[in-house]
Amino acid sequence: MKFSIFIFITIMLATVSVQAQKGTLKLNLNYSYSLPLESFKNDIVSNGSPRGVSGELMYFVNNKWSLGLAGGFQDYYQKYPRALYQTGDHETTSAVLSNSVQVTPILFKAMLMPCDKPAMVHPYISAGAGLGIVDFTQYLGEFGGTANNGSFMAQAGAGVQIPFSKTSASGFQIGANYNYISYKQYGFSNLNNLSFEAGLHFPIK
């Protein structure tokens, strides 16, 4: 349902054209695939996550720079084979371990598009900082629970936007982001990940 609404809005706005972006408010909507990195991959979840979405509401202060807010959702899950775990003072338990992590970023974001002339490909770089809201659920057999925390999050990204035509304000976009999440709970040091995005952008003002 949400995906259908996403496509409908995009088609309705796809014919909007402008020669300059200054003063334009744009909405970027993306599908996101994420790969855990470093201790996140080694200690919590090694599987990539195909369950993600992201979006940005960006205001163009001039034809190259835009500022705005970014948000999203990414769901990671891993179930490990039965193994022996230390569960207490000199106690060993044979159980299946499962980890589930959901990350909801809320970021202030800046984007630079070096080429401000009409073209079929517009490269960009971006940076953001804010809060990563983390829901971490861990079960060892039938025992476990969920913890909710907010951690500092920073993001650096790059990609390209491809307008539907040279003068169109709407189009496709693809890119990648390195996401740093300073998660300091239960002995874990971070939830860093690399996300790949593909979606659509269009003006709403």
Side-chain angles (χ1 to χ4, degrees), residues 116-154:
D116 61 351
K117 305 297 183 182
M120 288 308 298
V121 176
H122 291 274
Y124 70 82
I125 56 175
S126 64
L131 183 68
I133 300 172
V134 179
D135 295 331
F136 181 19
T137 301
Q138 184 176 74
Y139 277 93
L140 188 60
E142 60 183 13
F143 301 101
T146 299
N148 308 104
N149 302 94
S151 301
F152 172 75
M153 180 173 177

Side-chain angles (χ1 to χ4, degrees), residues 38-61:
E38 304 162 13
S39 63
F40 187 14
K41 177 180 179 179
N42 296 330
D43 301 330
I44 305 176
V45 174
S46 61
N47 290 336
S49 167
R51 300 170 297 278
V53 293
S54 67
E56 301 99 23
L57 186 63
M58 307 296 292
Y59 178 78
F60 278 78
V61 296

Side-chain angles (χ1 to χ4, degrees), residues 25 56-59 66-70 107-111 127 129:
L25 188 64
E56 301 99 23
L57 186 63
M58 307 296 292
Y59 178 78
S66 60
L67 302 173
L69 294 173
L107 307 175
F108 294 99
K109 192 166 184 176
M111 181 182 294

